[in-house]
């Protein structure tokens, strides 16, 4: 017969697993090109994601791949968890960019006349 403590620990483990599944970070991939906002970082439709209602932000991963016509320009200070960049350009536009986990760059460039990058 299993003790009540064992059952409680098992329940806590299941709850923790469910919580980690539903609180997973969202990955946003840049596609650019929304009419009137071709390069605006904060325009939701410039990104593809499975997260229907949110916008890119803290806790998320941004992916910028080569082969796009338009690339993102920051329109405000940004904080995300990860940036993965395989090509293109990210223009800081005199804004601050904070990445709390990692920046992985295999291609592409950063531009901008001022602003801070924090990792």
């Amino acid at each position: 017969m299993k003790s009540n403590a064992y059952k409680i620990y098992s329940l806590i483990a299941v709850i923790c697993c469910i919580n980690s599944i539903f609180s997973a970070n969202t990955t946003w991939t840049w596609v650019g090109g929304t009419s009137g906002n071709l390069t605006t970082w904060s325009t939701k439709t410039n990104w593809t994601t499975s997260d229907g209602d949110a916008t890119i932000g803290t806790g998320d991963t941004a992916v910028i791949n080569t082969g796009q016509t338009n690339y993102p320009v920051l329109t405000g200070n940004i904080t995300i968890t990860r940036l993965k960049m395989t090509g293109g350009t990210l223009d800081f536009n005199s804004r601050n960019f904070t990445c709390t986990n990692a920046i992985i760059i295999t291609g592409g460039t950063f531009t901008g006349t001022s602003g801070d990058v924090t990792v």
Side-chain angles (χ1 to χ4, degrees), residues 45-82:
T45 53
N46 281 341
W47 300 90
T48 60
T49 184
S50 60
D51 191 351
D53 294 325
T55 56
I56 190 169
T58 304
D60 293 333
T61 297
V63 178
I64 302 170
N65 292 317
T66 190
Q68 302 300 321
T69 302
N70 301 293
Y71 287 97
V73 176
L74 300 185
T75 53
N77 296 332
I78 301 296
T79 298
I80 59 173
T81 297
R82 285 179 205 83

Side-chain angles (χ1 to χ4, degrees), residues 3-116:
S3 70
N4 284 337
Y6 176 80
K7 291 177 185 176
I8 290 171
Y9 292 133
S10 296
L11 179 61
I12 290 171
V14 169
I15 290 170
C16 289
C17 288
I18 290 171
N19 185 46
S20 68
I21 291 169
F22 289 107
S23 64
N25 298 341
T26 301
T27 298
W28 297 76
T29 303
W30 178 262
V31 292
T34 299
S35 181
N37 297 297
L38 298 176
T39 60
T40 305
W41 174 283
S42 59
T43 300
K44 180 181 173 186
T45 53
N46 281 341
W47 300 90
T48 60
T49 184
S50 60
D51 191 351
D53 294 325
T55 56
I56 190 169
T58 304
D60 293 333
T61 297
V63 178
I64 302 170
N65 292 317
T66 190
Q68 302 300 321
T69 302
N70 301 293
Y71 287 97
V73 176
L74 300 185
T75 53
N77 296 332
I78 301 296
T79 298
I80 59 173
T81 297
R82 285 179 205 83
L83 172 65
K84 296 178 183 177
M85 194 165 175
T86 65
T89 301
L90 174 56
D91 186 343
F92 295 115
N93 191 30
S94 302
R95 309 291 191 217
N96 296 327
F97 181 83
T98 302
C99 189
T100 60
N101 186 296
I103 295 177
I104 302 165
I105 302 172
T106 57
T109 58
F110 294 129
T111 62
T113 56
S114 65
D116 294 325

